[in-house]
Amino acid sequence: MQKYNVIILAGGRAPWLEQVAGTDIRCLARLQGRRIIDYLVAALWKSGRVERILVAAPHGLEDQWPEGVSYCAADDDLPSTASRAVAALGDQGKILFVCDDIPLLRGEDVVDFLQQCEAQPGAALYYPIIRKEECQGQYPEGQRTYARIVEGIFTGGNMMLIDGSVIARVEAKAREIFVRRKNPLALCRWLGFSFIFKFLLHRLTMAEVEHRVSTLLEFPCKGIISTYPAIGMDIDKITDWRLAEKYLAGGQEDESRKEGGYGKS
């Protein structure tokens, strides 16, 4: 069974968090008595698919991380931070990138995503998408950004499996995608005018999106349909925070979330 190195992208700050958590560093904010980083690390180790974990976070936080987790200082933006983290990790193979804002993540979510990626070899980048009905079925109060394609209505997940060797080559284009990531129409405009019309007419297919993105980035990309909506339940605002509090307090924890339940397997 293949294991992967993981980079947790935690360089951004969220000023709105100060009023509910006393910090603007999301991964260090406490939900139900535990920091978000502890939930993430627990789930990743619990998956059994992780070799090493590195956190890319703001400067001066060298001593904040769980045992066995390494650290590098984040750069000015997410694409630059990703490049710096890959260099610090020293890995040119496939790396699992995880955002710092999905505390509901479980080990089985990670396992399913990686297994689906492995079942479809040949891509340099894999990105999860989740059906609207899956998200609303498990988290009916959740407010996500959705886009419609022929195969259904989807939101994006907050992790990615990507070859470390391509990171440095695509910083500029990755920055463009990041800016547009929550505006489907702006993303379609970047992809090309024919995509605008197909998007508006709900005639875009997943294969067409994959082909266009692969052409623009100059390496093969693959979308993975996940049935695990926790990977899309990020915390961008206070209502998201309150929702995460509700579910973490409501008995949805598994062994990977309990205090002391993580450790390298």
Side-chain angles (χ1 to χ4, degrees), residues 17-228:
L17 255 183
E18 289 277 5
Q19 61 183 294
V20 294
T23 180
D24 64 353
I25 301 174
R26 194 155 23 204
C27 68
L28 298 182
R30 288 186 176 272
L31 267 169
Q32 295 297 313
R34 296 186 66 196
R35 302 177 306 170
I36 291 178
I37 187 66
D38 296 320
Y39 289 112
L40 292 176
V41 170
L44 289 165
W45 287 137
K46 186 68 175 182
S47 74
R49 303 299 308 274
V50 171
E51 185 66 35
R52 296 164 55 200
I53 300 175
L54 179 144
V55 177
H59 292 266
L61 298 176
E62 289 85 353
D63 301 324
Q64 296 293 320
W65 314 112
E67 183 179 356
V69 175
S70 56
Y71 158 83
C72 79
D75 213 325
D76 294 332
D77 56 33
L78 187 144
S80 300
T81 294
S83 290
R84 176 176 285 188
V86 170
L89 197 61
D91 184 1
Q92 296 299 302
K94 282 189 168 62
I95 301 168
L96 181 64
F97 283 86
V98 178
C99 294
D100 65 340
D101 56 358
I102 47 173
L104 300 179
L105 184 71
R106 300 169 302 172
E108 54 260 45
D109 307 339
V110 178
V111 170
D112 176 76
F113 176 62
L114 292 175
Q115 286 179 340
Q116 288 204 64
C117 295
E118 291 164 350
Q120 302 178 69
L125 182 153
Y126 297 87
Y127 180 71
I129 59 175
I130 310 102
R131 293 185 187 274
K132 183 177 182 179
E133 55 264 35
E134 297 278 0
C135 293
Q136 293 187 336
Q138 188 163 338
Y139 304 107
E141 307 99 321
Q143 299 177 2
R144 309 263 66 86
T145 300
Y146 294 98
R148 183 189 294 272
I149 59 177
V150 168
E151 290 84 355
I153 303 174
F154 296 91
T155 190
N158 289 272
M159 61 176 59
M160 181 183 299
L161 185 67
I162 184 168
D163 281 349
S165 61
V166 305
I167 292 289
R169 294 194 285 119
V170 295
E171 268 194 57
K173 289 183 179 179
R175 194 169 289 112
E176 292 180 48
I177 295 173
F178 180 71
V179 168
R180 295 166 173 81
R181 75 195 189 286
K182 293 198 173 181
N183 187 331
L185 189 57
L187 190 58
C188 285
R189 208 176 274 124
W190 178 75
L191 290 169
F193 283 107
S194 64
F195 269 63
I196 296 176
F197 296 116
K198 286 193 172 185
F199 175 74
L200 292 175
L201 295 173
H202 303 153
R203 297 169 84 175
L204 269 180
T205 67
M206 188 166 170
E208 287 174 318
V209 175
E210 290 172 342
H211 176 75
R212 184 60 177 153
V213 173
S214 298
T215 299
L216 288 168
L217 295 183
E218 300 179 342
F219 57 76
C221 303
K222 182 71 180 174
I224 299 294
I225 298 177
S226 174
T227 59
Y228 292 82

